[in-house]
């Protein structure tokens, strides 16, 4: 496995990895959508990553 720049075809998988990864912290510290709507596990979605890639021109790697 190697690190490479991600493309639009990778976004759904990236969102899943981000949400699952941050959910472990959410559970540990009792962070919920009700008490922290902007927490990464709840706030990251495909639209946000597309915006970062296409509007803000942020290179992303995975």
């Amino acid at each position: 496995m190697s690190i490479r720049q991600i493309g639009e075809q990778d976004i759904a998988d990236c969102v899943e990895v981000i949400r699952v990864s941050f959910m472990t912290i959410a559970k540990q510290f009792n962070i919920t959508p009700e008490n922290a709507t902007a927490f990464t596990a709840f706030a990251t979605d495909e639209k946000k990553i597309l915006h970062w890639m296409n509007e803000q021109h942020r290179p992303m790697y995975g």
Side-chain angles (χ1 to χ4, degrees), residues 15-26:
V15 168
E16 180 69 16
V17 168
I18 291 166
R19 287 184 173 181
V20 169
S21 299
F22 279 88
M23 192 57 72
T24 59
I25 300 301

Side-chain angles (χ1 to χ4, degrees), residues 8-39:
E8 289 188 22
Q9 73 278 5
D10 303 308
I11 291 176
D13 291 334
C14 291
V15 168
E16 180 69 16
V17 168
I18 291 166
R19 287 184 173 181
V20 169
S21 299
F22 279 88
M23 192 57 72
T24 59
I25 300 301
K27 289 177 182 177
Q28 182 178 356
F29 291 99
N30 198 30
I31 300 169
T32 67
E34 290 77 26
N35 65 24
T37 56
F39 186 69

Side-chain angles (χ1 to χ4, degrees), residues 1-7 10 14 59-62:
M1 183 177 290
S2 61
I3 297 173
R4 64 174 175 79
Q5 190 165 3
I6 67 163
D10 303 308
C14 291
M60 298 190 186
Y61 296 85

Side-chain angles (χ1 to χ4, degrees), residues 5-8 10-12 14-19 22 37-61:
Q5 190 165 3
I6 67 163
E8 289 188 22
D10 303 308
I11 291 176
C14 291
V15 168
E16 180 69 16
V17 168
I18 291 166
R19 287 184 173 181
F22 279 88
T37 56
F39 186 69
T40 308
F42 314 121
T44 302
D45 59 18
E46 292 183 25
K47 183 179 175 182
K48 183 176 280 189
I49 292 182
L50 274 170
H51 173 76
W52 291 338
M53 287 176 72
N54 297 326
E55 303 296 321
Q56 296 182 347
H57 306 288
R58 295 184 189 186
M60 298 190 186
Y61 296 85

